[in-house]
Structures are given as structure tokens and as C-alpha cells.
Amino acid sequence: MSHSGDDDALAPATRVAHLGLDPQRFDGFVNPPVVRGSTVLSPTYKDLVNHTGRYSYGRRGNPTTEALQNAITALEGGDGTVLTPSGLSACSVALLSVVGAGDHLLMVDTVYRPTRNVCDKLLKRMGVETTYYDPLIGAGIADLIRPNTRAIFLEAPGSQSFEMQDVPAITAVARERGIFTLIDNTWATPLFFKPHSFGVDISIQAGTKYLGGHADLNLGTISAVGKAWTQVLATHGDMGICVSPDDAALGSRGLRTLAVRLERHQTSALEVARWLTASPYVSRVLHPGLESDPGHAIWKRDFTGATGLFSLILKPVPEAAYATFFDSLKLFGMGYSWGGFECLAIPFDCAEYRTATEWKVEGPAVRLHIGLEEPADVIADLSQALEKMAARAAAAA
Ligand SMILES: *Cc1c(COP(=O)(O)O)cnc(C)c1O
């Protein structure tokens, strides 16, 4: 039997091992071939004019891209999936699918910063007005809706600051009024949160992160249901967006180990986060999987897991000591993106760009990605970097 992972009664780890595969189509080879091609030939005139083939043209899909699309559709429980060349293009194509001139968009203030640029520049130029809203607004979103509000965009937890959103409260308001909802679900992936089950029309993943999992790929996925799916498919087609078969194959390869990797990211990140909450140099840890986190109750109600990305607020230190912390890390790389096998750390300050909410914190902020390394080694690295930071701060005092 093909597509054996399609049975959604099976556990996620079982499903991702099989989804999208159809070995008998490819002489028994487990994975579909990496098909390079633009032209698809038809055997007869009649086949050509009646479009009888499974594929029509390279840009519109081939066995390699189709395998990944089918897998994501099954995992998300949507009506269909399109692939895009990056996570950001998935966000912009999804937005362009549902809004146009004269429309109003509600965008969560804690959205991934480049998505904000799409609203403030591209969408603005096209005549779409954006209002940013507080991630904690819940059903209060109703007060921001105007007659021309066409879509509400969510991201949970919030980018960098990890606030949880009450997704079902927001989708209930949207559904009543025929407003589209979209979510950037990159942090949880469909393994730990299923947007369509909570009433979200469009579920976006930066496949660059956990799906790829190895810091060697940029990819985006858009899964959608109902009318939203029809519009996403059409817009993606009209824009001529397509993904290389090599990148689709890397996405499919990443999918096979997604469940085991996420399990490890989850347990290691929680262990490191708990250790950090007890550190004398740390003021707070922002991680919805921690019982002490303000978003924990919602996370526990709606999500089935937490991944490896979270933040912390240090107790106040001079900038030179903050820099010493980063420069002293040995296992953690400093760089953007995350979701790969390795630990990463970046400084951030949400006050630079948020407009609907105030970002007032008691000390400098750090975002960590906990990779697949041994947690004891990760903790030892953080410990020595925090000690060096403290020594530098004491020397400056
Ligand atoms: C990284 C990221 C993106 C963008 O993915 P790219 O492949 O870098 O374009 C979008 N949303 C979130 C939440 C991300 O973390």
C-alpha cells in the first residue's frame, strides 16, 4: 500500500516515516527521484489538448515536489499545500492570496520581523492597510474589525518574545464574519500544533527551520483549507513560484526525522530553560512550556509539545558584559535562523520595531536555540559564558 502514513490515527513519528512515499511508482526505490524538468511531453495530440497527464509543466510540480506537498497536506490535515523557496515567501504569497486593494489586515504585533516589512512596504503600496494587535487580545480582536477587514494573521508563540495567542478565540470571531485567518506555525510545526483543527484557514511553515533541520535549506510551505486553498493555489500559480527538486528532496528527507529531532529539541530546551531560571544572572525565561510562563495554560491546552527555541531576560549588565556573554560561548553559534541541529544565540530588542505593544524589560534579552547536543554540555557552555559576563560586569562597576 502506498501513502501508509496517511492514517492520522498513527503516531506522528510513524506518519513522518512514510508520508508522501510511493515506492512502487519508482521501481521500489524508497524515495522519489529528484526530477529535473521543465517540459512534460504528451504522447498524443488528444492527451496534450485534454491535459490528461499527471503533470503539465515543471513549474507546476513534479514527482519530487508532489511527494513533499502530499506529505505536508496529510500532516496539516488541510485541503492542499504549495511549496515556496523560503519561509518569508510563504508568508508573502499567503498574504497576497487573501488581501487586495482597499482591504484591511490585522497583524499580530509579535510577528516575525520580515513579515512586518511585507505589510509596511509591499502591502501598503498595493493599497492594503495593516493594524497591528496585541498577541494577548483573544476574543477582543472583535473590537478591531472593520467592514473591510479581510484577514487576521497570527504567530504563536510570538517571535523572539514567546507570548502565546488564544488561537480558537480569534478564529471563532473571524469565522463568524467570514474573515480569513493565517498563522505562521514555524515554531511548533504541525507535529506540535495543528492550526486547521483550531479553525485557521492557512498554516505557514518556514521549512527552513525544523523541516529542513540541518541549516542547509531555505523552503516554505503553505497549507490551506476551503476557499483559502483555492485562492492560495491560484496566487502561487500566477506568481510563478516554484521550488527546486533538490530543495524539495531535502525537505522530504528532513521530514523523516522530524519527530525524533523535535522530541530531543523539546527535552533539551526544557532542561536548559529550567537550569536558566535558577541562574543568579537571569531575571526571567520566556518559554511557554515552563509552568511559570504566562502563556503556559494556553500552550498546554492547544499544543502537544514545545520545540528548541526560547528567550531569556538577563539581570541588568553593561553592554560590554552582554557582549562578553556572546563572545564567550563555545558551542553556540551567533547567527540568524534556527531549527537546525546546532545551538544558536542572538541578542534582540523588540522595542526597535513593535508598535501595538510596549516591550519594557528589566535587562538585556537573549534568544537561544537548543540543538541536538548533549544538554549537560550546553548548560556547561552557558554557565561559563554567564560567569565571564558577570566578571566583566564586576570589573566595569
Ligand atoms: C525564519 C522564519 C521565517 C522565514 O524563513 P526564511 O526561509 O528565512 O525566509 C518565517 N517565519 C518564522 C517564524 C521564521 O522563524
Side-chain angles (χ1 to χ4, degrees), residues 154 165-174 193 198-200 298 301-302:
L154 304 92
Q165 286 199 258
D166 191 337
V167 177
I170 292 173
T171 57
V173 169
F193 182 63
F198 289 85
V200 181
I298 285 183
R301 183 191 70 188
D302 298 343

Side-chain angles (χ1 to χ4, degrees), residues 86-88 112 155 184 186 206 208-209 218 338:
S86 67
L88 184 58
Y112 176 65
E155 181 173 330
D184 185 332
T186 300
T208 306
K209 309 293 165 52
N218 278 100
W338 46 277

